[in-house]
Amino acid sequence: MMAARKGHKTEVRQVDDGFADAIRLFAQDRNGYYGTWHVFEGTQDLLAAIVAEIGETVLARRIAVFGKEENVRVLLAISNRHLVDIEGVGPQLEDANGAAVIELLSTAFAGCAALKFEIVERSPELPETGRSWSHGSLLKAMHEGREPDGQRQVLETLRDKLKAMALSWRDVAPAGGQPLSDGNPEDLGLIDRCLARASDNTSKQKLWKPANATLNMLSVADDRVLVLLETPEGNLGVVCRASHRAAIFELWRAFAKATS
């Protein structure tokens, strides 16, 4: 079985990068950060900047967030890395959870590519309510809301490319819904046996696991390899020429990068 785990190493590196970011944060002059327009590549990055601002605010502050293109102004009351109140995003939900707050912010800043933060009030009088949203809960809600359509499209592209280079393949979760296959009976029988045992694979046989997908590669002859792609929606098995091994690894690396 040709596989290499990278999940643990990636996790450690992310922790190290977060510590380095914290050191840089305390070293830099935050005053220059406010009153300046910051441009973002997409809504997710823009929301991440707002959530990061909440996580970096310890002393009580009322901070205005402006969206340039849509002339949006949202007021955030923050204290001890908690969002205590929010104004300018429509009706308030007494029982709103972190996901609802992220959704409100996403709707408010839809169409904006640039943000500006300004401190409106230091040591403001905070509302007397037990409701607040921690930086951690908002960060979790933001990441849990990411899915979906973009990652599914990347996964479908990976499926299509694997099938394009295959001698034989069986796809139990194609876009159309019904299992499809192509190739010679001998290869398809081998694929079926591996698909049936897929749930018994150990973690040592799996490559790094982004987006709830795993890839296994097994040499079945001097000139052929069997590749099994496992996803929650269903699995794909393909038999390819061994000469495609490097190309398959590159496809997987590109998929992992796009979905991590």
Side-chain angles (χ1 to χ4, degrees):
M1 182 67 63
M2 302 182 62
R5 292 188 70 199
K6 297 183 182 178
H8 180 69
K9 217 174 262 187
T10 300
E11 183 179 357
V12 172
R13 186 167 61 251
Q14 288 174 342
V15 172
D16 290 344
D17 288 346
F19 181 72
D21 288 342
I23 295 296
R24 285 192 292 270
L25 174 64
F26 282 106
Q28 70 186 10
D29 178 11
R30 287 288 288 171
N31 289 330
Y33 179 78
Y34 296 105
T36 302
W37 288 105
H38 304 274
V39 180
F40 301 92
E41 293 184 0
T43 302
Q44 197 67 29
D45 291 335
L46 181 147
L47 291 174
I50 297 175
V51 173
E53 181 66 23
I54 294 169
E56 293 164 5
T57 303
V58 178
L59 300 179
R61 297 285 186 267
R62 182 168 279 108
I63 297 175
V65 187
F66 298 87
K68 191 172 189 179
E69 290 77 7
E70 302 297 326
N71 197 28
V72 180
R73 181 177 184 266
V74 173
L75 280 177
L76 307 178
I78 309 168
S79 179
N80 194 27
R81 305 180 75 227
H82 281 66
L83 176 62
V84 181
D85 196 17
I86 180 170
E87 302 174 38
V89 293
Q92 293 300 293
L93 303 176
E94 286 299 323
D95 297 322
N97 57 19
V101 172
I102 292 298
E103 181 62 28
L104 286 171
L105 290 171
S106 179
T107 300
F109 290 99
C112 297
L115 290 182
K116 179 172 66 174
F117 296 89
E118 289 188 358
I119 297 177
V120 176
E121 186 180 0
R122 299 176 188 273
S123 302
E125 183 177 346
L126 299 176
E128 294 182 3
T129 174
R131 180 196 60 188
S132 69
W133 303 274
S134 70
H135 168 253
S137 68
L138 294 174
L139 191 63
K140 180 181 178 181
M142 186 182 68
H143 284 291
E144 287 178 346
R146 274 180 188 179
E147 154 96 25
D149 293 337
Q151 289 192 355
R152 275 196 288 268
Q153 184 56 53
V154 173
L155 181 58
E156 287 305 316
T157 299
L158 175 63
R159 286 179 178 274
D160 291 342
K161 289 183 176 180
L162 287 173
K163 287 188 282 189
M165 65 175 61
L167 298 170
S168 303
W169 56 268
R170 190 181 304 282
D171 190 349
V172 301
Q178 294 298 320
L180 299 173
S181 62
D182 186 35
N184 67 69
E186 182 181 354
D187 285 346
L188 292 176
L190 175 62
I191 290 172
D192 286 341
R193 291 193 295 275
C194 287
L195 288 173
R197 294 197 300 267
S199 60
D200 297 327
N201 287 335
T202 66
S203 60
K204 292 182 180 179
Q205 295 172 316
K206 296 178 179 179
L207 294 175
W208 180 38
K209 185 180 181 181
N212 293 322
T214 60
L215 187 76
N216 295 281
M217 188 183 301
L218 175 69
S219 295
V220 296
D222 290 341
D223 61 343
R224 292 184 302 155
V225 293
L226 184 144
V227 179
L228 177 62
L229 175 66
E230 299 177 62
T231 75
E233 294 78 12
N235 303 330
L236 167 69
V238 303
V239 172
C240 301
R241 299 189 189 280
S243 58
H244 288 313
R245 186 183 288 111
I248 293 168
F249 273 111
E250 286 305 314
L251 285 176
W252 181 249
R253 290 190 185 101
F255 171 77
K257 182 179 180 180
T259 55
S260 61

